[in-house]
Amino acid sequence: MNPFRNLFRSRDKPKNSLGGSRYSFFFGGTSSGKTVNERTAMQTTAVYACVRIIAETIASLPLHVYKRTDKGKEKAYNHPLYNLLHDEANPEMTSFVFRETLMSHLLLWGNAYAQIIRDGRGNILALYPLLPDKVTVDRELNGEIYYQYRTDTGYVTLRNYEVLHIPGLGYDGLVGYSPIAMAKNAIGMSIATEEYGASFFANGANPGGVLEHPGVVKDPKKVRDSWNTLYQGSNNAHRIAVLEEGMKFQSIGIYLEYTYAP
């Protein structure tokens, strides 16, 4: 009897659930205070440009099916997968659109999934992309991998031979990390900076201020709203203000000359 059998067990068939690209401990708040996910990140011009250029470039590369011959290789035009990969992945998507979609999923979520549609004989008829944030990867007790896809009515279970899974960089080679989650602080800073700049220039590139009145203002909200209507916004910049009853405007915050780069 081996006394160490209960201490050292096989780890090649873990039972834990692998939550696809949905690592909750990576997402949430950032150091800038902005919540970052794949969709908000795409509103950042740098992220959108990188994803679009890489996805379109990969999708535009030629994709052929080859067969080995005595002289080397040649294109297998009669192979059942040739038209599927080269021309049309499914009746709704060309090969270019299909590969562009999968590549964008891989860049944003760190994983790309596609459902494999087969006929009764097991022949592949079509490939349909699956949204990575709705996919969960798990294992059976016997170690076999399966996928669960979340729909509006519940979950659909797909076997490993029914899913084409392309993982990105990850810790186990099975599920990839989300690049957006890993860079959430940098992206959150970009979003915060863009929102601050937009708000700043929407106020005529002027910081907030205080209207001082020597007496008592009966309706301060009305005075503030009237001032904002006349002088707030870039379209109202440089308008001449007329102050009555001894009112004074005192600017607070940064000065206009500090908005220019040296």
Side-chain angles (χ1 to χ4, degrees):
M1 179 178 179
N2 186 357
F4 300 102
R5 184 176 60 180
N6 294 329
L7 296 178
F8 301 98
R9 299 181 180 179
S10 174
R11 300 181 62 185
D12 60 339
K13 297 178 181 179
K15 300 179 182 179
N16 60 298
S17 175
L18 305 173
S21 57
R22 298 178 295 163
Y23 297 105
S24 59
F25 56 91
F26 283 153
F27 292 102
T30 62
S31 56
S32 63
K34 296 297 179 181
T35 300
V36 174
N37 55 45
E38 293 84 357
R39 290 176 173 82
T40 58
M42 281 292 282
Q43 297 177 359
T44 304
T45 54
V47 174
Y48 178 83
C50 291
V51 171
R52 182 183 64 83
I53 291 174
I54 296 175
E56 290 181 354
T57 301
I58 297 299
S60 63
L61 296 176
L63 180 60
H64 301 283
V65 177
Y66 290 88
K67 64 179 180 180
R68 295 184 182 275
T69 64
D70 296 336
K71 298 181 180 180
K73 64 179 181 180
E74 63 181 22
K75 294 179 182 178
Y77 294 107
N78 296 325
H79 194 281
L81 293 179
Y82 188 90
N83 291 333
L84 195 69
L85 298 176
H86 183 268
D87 299 325
E88 187 178 81
N90 59 67
E92 302 172 357
M93 291 183 174
T94 63
S95 175
F96 178 91
V97 174
F98 174 75
R99 287 184 285 156
E100 181 186 38
T101 302
L102 286 193
M103 194 64 207
S104 64
H105 289 176
L106 186 61
L107 293 170
L108 292 173
W109 280 280
N111 294 272
Y113 303 93
Q115 183 180 3
I116 303 174
I117 305 299
R118 302 175 185 268
D119 60 13
R121 297 182 177 180
N123 298 318
I124 300 177
L125 301 178
L127 297 170
Y128 285 91
L130 300 174
L131 284 175
D133 60 340
K134 294 185 177 182
V135 177
T136 301
V137 187
D138 211 335
R139 290 183 187 269
E140 298 277 12
L141 294 178
N142 60 4
E144 182 180 350
I145 296 173
Y146 68 93
Y147 300 84
Q148 285 189 319
Y149 188 73
R150 188 178 75 256
T151 65
D152 295 335
T153 58
Y155 286 88
V156 177
T157 300
L158 301 172
R159 314 312 302 181
N160 56 1
Y161 55 83
E162 295 179 301
V163 176
L164 170 64
H165 179 197
I166 305 174
L169 177 65
Y171 65 91
D172 59 359
L174 179 62
V175 179
Y177 288 130
S178 168
I180 301 302
M182 301 301 291
K184 67 175 183 178
N185 285 327
I187 297 173
M189 177 63 70
S190 176
I191 294 175
T193 302
E194 186 173 320
E195 289 184 359
Y196 178 85
S199 176
F200 182 75
F201 286 104
N203 289 304
N206 286 311
V210 176
L211 284 172
E212 297 181 356
H213 192 280
V216 178
V217 179
K218 296 182 180 180
D219 193 349
K221 182 179 183 302
K222 182 178 180 180
V223 175
R224 181 176 60 250
D225 293 343
S226 177
W227 177 272
N228 289 336
T229 300
L230 292 175
Y231 306 111
Q232 189 179 46
S234 57
N235 292 331
N236 294 325
H238 310 299
R239 295 186 66 177
I240 299 176
V242 178
L243 300 177
E244 300 178 348
E245 300 179 358
M247 271 187 155
K248 295 181 180 179
F249 177 78
Q250 180 65 40
S251 177
I252 58 176
I254 62 176
Y255 293 98
L256 184 60
E257 55 266 25
Y258 293 163
T259 64
Y260 297 97

